[in-house]
Amino acid sequence: MDKDDESLCKYKKTLLGSGPAEIDPSLPNVQVIRMCLVCDAPSPLTLDLQGDLEAFKTQSFILKESAEYKIKINFKVNREIVSGLKYVQETFRKGIRIDKSDYMVGSYGPRADEYDFVTPLEEAPHGVLARGQYNIKSKFIDDDKHVHLSWEWNLNIKKDWKD
């Protein structure tokens, strides 16, 4: 069926590249490697997503109110084309969901190098009422509703970087 569709064959060739790379079959098809909060923080705000994901629930990123930031996620596709990859983020404050963001990452083919995805620029909330702890639930999901990785992390909005 695919052989009859010239545009589909061309699209697959674009995603797959010149040829298959040697990949460890025990690795998941999509490996989410790390997440960085890209901002003017005095020290890098990075989560290693291949380690203990439960530890992130007890740690917090400190973000200065009104700071502009982006989220950068590094990932690899190991064996098969992944179609319609999305990054979904739900933000909770005191147990109540206050925001949900869906970012279309795209479709990717396997390769040895990492891909990266960067969200659009956002601004942290500001003011006395906005300061405090936020719990964020993130996941990488595809068109087939397969969740490749889900994790929780915390963000603490403060008046200054060191408060």
Side-chain angles (χ1 to χ4, degrees):
M1 186 167 142
D2 288 356
K3 294 174 184 165
D4 297 336
D5 190 342
E6 186 179 326
S7 63
L8 182 59
C9 289
K10 189 175 180 180
Y11 176 66
K12 281 185 174 182
K13 187 171 182 168
T14 302
L15 287 175
L16 289 172
S18 58
E22 294 296 319
I23 301 297
D24 181 356
S26 66
L27 293 174
N29 189 39
V30 176
Q31 276 181 286
V32 186
I33 297 168
R34 78 180 104 7
M35 182 187 90
C36 295
L37 210 58
V38 180
C39 60
D40 292 333
S43 60
L45 306 173
T46 303
L47 294 177
D48 177 7
L49 297 175
Q50 295 188 308
D52 180 16
L53 300 179
E54 290 297 313
F56 301 146
K57 293 179 183 179
T58 60
Q59 302 169 353
S60 287
F61 279 143
I62 294 177
L63 189 62
K64 180 181 173 184
E65 64 181 1
S66 299
E68 292 185 332
Y69 68 94
K70 296 178 184 180
I71 295 173
K72 179 180 177 183
I73 300 174
N74 295 77
F75 64 97
K76 281 180 74 171
V77 177
N78 290 318
R79 288 186 305 278
E80 301 169 2
I81 294 172
V82 62
S83 176
L85 197 57
K86 287 194 306 187
Y87 171 63
V88 179
Q89 173 179 298
E90 292 181 303
T91 305
F92 294 83
R93 175 95 193 258
K94 298 181 180 176
I96 299 169
R97 186 173 84 180
I98 58 170
D99 185 46
K100 180 177 181 184
S101 301
D102 283 17
Y103 300 101
M104 179 53 73
V105 178
S107 298
Y108 296 87
R111 72 176 192 189
D113 298 330
E114 293 178 5
Y115 292 102
D116 60 17
F117 169 73
V118 180
T119 64
L121 190 66
E122 296 189 44
E123 183 179 340
H126 60 278
V128 174
L129 296 177
R131 292 182 205 138
Q133 188 82 9
Y134 292 81
N135 176 260
I136 300 163
K137 296 180 180 179
S138 297
K139 65 182 172 182
F140 245 53
I141 189 168
D142 63 26
D143 276 349
D144 297 328
K145 306 292 184 225
H146 180 262
V147 177
H148 296 283
L149 186 70
S150 65
W151 68 98
E152 289 185 38
W153 52 289
N154 296 304
L155 191 61
N156 202 342
I157 306 292
K158 297 198 172 199
K159 187 170 182 157
D160 203 353
W161 292 109
K162 294 179 178 146
D163 282 349

